[in-house]
C-alpha cells in the first residue's frame, strides 16, 4: 500500500524535499509543526484537499522531518529552514505565496516574511512560536519525546482538547511514524535539553515583527497546552495588520480539531487578497 505522506521529490539546495503540491491557482505554502514523527501530510491532511479546490497548496516536509532527505551533519537552524523554503519556491518557479505556519512552522513563516518580505503575500500563523515565552511542560514533553506507544499517547493527549480525537489507533500510527529509520535520531538531536534555548532561538526580533507589512491571520486554541495563547496575543499586538481568531474547546491541533472551520477561515482570509471578498 502506498504511503500518502510521500509525494513529490524536489531538489532544494543540497538535498531533496518531499512536497505535496495540489490544486491550481494562487499558491499557498503550508509549514508543519515539530512533533515527533510529524510530516506535512500528518499535519495538513484534512485541510489540503479542501483548500486545493480553489488554489494551489504546497506542503513540504521541512529538513529533519518526514520524508525529506536527511543529510549527515546538517544544521537544523532557522536560517537553514528559511533557505529551504526559499529554494522550494524557486524550484517551483513561485515568485510570491501566501504562507500558513503551524507552531514551529509559524516561527518559520514569520522568519521567512521578515527576511524575504517580497516572497510572502499573506501570513497565517496558527498556535505559533516566534516570540519569547517560557517553555510549557507540554512543549518540553513534545520535544523531549522518547519512542514508546505510552509516550506518544501521553503527548497526543496534550495536543488535543477533545480526548476522543486521540484514539489508540492514531497514537499507534504516530508512534510507528516516529520509529521510522532516521526519524528519532534526527528528532532527538534537534531539541536537546535544556529546551528553553530552542524557544528563544525561534523567536524573531520584536522590532522586525512590528515592521511586518503583511496582512496576518493569527489562529489559536484557547486550551492549547503546548504553545500558550499569550504568544498569539503578543503577535496580535506587535503585527500592525493582524487579526486574531481564538477557537474555544480547542488545543494545539486547530487544523484537526476544527478542520472545517479552519479551512473556511483561512480560505476567506486568502480570498480577500484575491479580491473575491469585499
Amino acid at each position: 500500500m502506498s504511503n500518502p505522506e510521500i509525494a513529490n521529490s524536489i531538489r532544494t539546495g543540497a538535498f531533496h524535499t518531499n512536497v505535496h503540491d495540489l490544486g491550481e491557482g494562487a499558491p499557498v505554502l503550508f509549514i508543519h509543526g515539530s512533533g515527533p514523527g510529524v510530516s506535512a501530510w500528518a499535519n495538513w491532511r484534512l485541510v489540503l484537499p479542501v483548500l486545493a479546490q480553489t488554489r494551489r497548496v504546497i506542503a513540504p516536509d521541512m529538513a529533519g522531518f518526514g520524508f525529506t532527505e536527511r543529510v549527515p551533519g546538517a544544521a537544523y537552524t532557522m536560517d537553514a529552514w528559511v533557505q529551504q523554503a526559499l529554494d522550494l519556491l524557486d524550484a517551483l518557479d513561485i515568485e510570491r505565496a501566501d504562507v500558513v505556519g503551524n507552531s514551529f512552522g509559524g516561527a518559520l513563516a514569520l522568519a521567512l516574511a521578515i527576511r524575504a518580505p517580497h516572497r510572502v503575500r499573506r501570513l497565517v500563523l496558527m498556535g505559533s512560536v516566534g516570540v519569547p515565552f517560557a517553555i510549557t511542560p507540554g512543549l518540553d514533553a513534545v520535544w523531549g519525546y522518547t519512542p514508546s506507544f505510552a509516550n506518544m499517547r501521553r503527548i497526543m493527549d496534550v495536543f488535543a482538547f477533545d480526548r476522543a480525537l486521540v484514539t489508540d489507533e492514531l497514537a499507534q500510527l504516530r508512534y510507528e511514524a516516529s520509529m521510522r529509520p532516521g526519524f528519532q535520531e534526527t528528532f532527538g538531536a534537534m531539541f536537546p535539553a535544556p529546551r528553553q534555548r530552542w524557544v528563544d532561538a525561534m523567536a524573531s526580533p520584536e522590532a522586525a515583527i512590528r515592521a511586518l507589512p503583511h496582512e496576518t491571520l493569527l489562529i489559536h486554541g484557547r486550551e492549547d497546552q503546548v504553545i500558550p495563547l499569550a504568544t498569539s496575543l503578543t503577535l496580535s499586538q506587535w503585527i500592525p495588520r493582524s487579526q486574531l481568531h481564538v477557537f474555544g474547546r480547542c488545543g494545539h491541533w486547530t487544523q484537526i480539531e476544527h478542520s472545517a472551520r479552519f479551512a473556511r477561515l483561512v480560505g476567506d482570509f486568502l480570498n480577500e487578497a484575491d479580491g473575491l471578498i469585499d
Side-chain angles (χ1 to χ4, degrees):
M1 190 174 77
S2 64
N3 185 346
E5 293 179 277
I6 300 174
N8 307 305
S9 182
I10 303 289
R11 184 83 180 178
T12 49
F15 57 93
H16 285 84
T17 291
N18 179 53
V19 59
H20 301 265
D21 190 347
L22 310 170
E24 296 178 352
V28 191
L29 178 65
F30 285 82
I31 306 176
H32 60 73
S34 61
V38 76
S39 68
W41 186 250
N43 251 202
W44 303 114
R45 66 190 183 278
L46 299 181
V47 298
L48 292 181
V50 178
L51 291 168
Q53 293 172 19
T54 54
R55 54 194 71 245
R56 182 182 181 186
V57 297
I58 298 148
D61 289 345
M62 301 311 295
F65 297 98
F67 293 89
T68 283
E69 183 182 1
R70 283 165 168 74
V71 179
Y76 298 113
T77 63
M78 197 55 69
D79 285 344
W81 285 313
V82 167
Q83 190 58 53
Q84 180 190 6
L86 291 171
D87 287 343
L88 177 61
L89 292 177
D90 288 344
L92 297 175
D93 199 26
I94 294 171
E95 183 59 37
R96 195 166 69 134
D98 297 312
V99 183
V100 181
N102 166 28
S103 193
F104 149 83
L108 177 47
L110 199 58
L112 177 62
I114 288 168
R115 299 176 197 196
H118 59 289
R119 304 300 297 271
V120 177
R121 187 176 71 158
R122 286 193 164 201
L123 270 177
V124 179
L125 306 177
M126 188 193 85
S128 185
V129 188
V131 295
F133 68 95
I135 192 168
T136 61
L139 181 57
D140 203 39
V142 169
W143 280 351
Y145 168 82
T146 53
S148 75
F149 170 78
N151 284 345
M152 182 60 78
R153 176 78 211 209
R154 197 173 300 119
I155 283 172
M156 294 185 80
D157 277 338
V158 170
F159 272 108
F161 171 79
D162 183 357
R163 297 299 187 274
L165 281 173
V166 184
T167 62
D168 283 350
E169 181 185 24
L170 181 59
Q172 182 67 28
L173 283 172
R174 299 320 307 159
Y175 163 62
E176 290 172 3
S178 76
M179 288 295 291
R180 290 181 182 126
F183 275 46
Q184 182 57 27
E185 291 85 345
T186 308
F187 186 75
M190 205 177 286
F191 305 114
R195 297 185 181 89
Q196 179 66 48
R197 57 185 162 155
W198 309 120
V199 172
D200 299 341
M202 290 182 190
S204 290
E206 178 179 348
I209 296 173
R210 288 184 179 275
L212 278 173
H214 306 83
E215 290 283 349
T216 303
L217 172 62
L218 304 162
I219 301 172
H220 217 111
R222 186 181 62 200
E223 284 81 20
D224 193 332
Q225 297 180 62
V226 181
I227 307 300
L229 174 59
T231 64
S232 285
L233 293 171
T234 298
L235 286 166
S236 73
Q237 291 166 345
W238 289 1
I239 301 174
R241 294 180 173 86
S242 66
Q243 52 185 292
L244 170 60
H245 190 103
V246 179
F247 283 97
R249 300 179 62 80
C250 182
H252 192 55
W253 274 351
T254 312
Q255 84 285 15
I256 294 171
E257 297 178 73
H258 295 272
S259 62
R261 287 173 168 174
F262 176 87
R264 193 158 54 243
L265 185 66
V266 172
D268 285 349
F269 176 69
L270 301 182
N271 283 342
E272 286 180 356
D274 296 333
L276 299 177
I277 295 179
D278 293 331

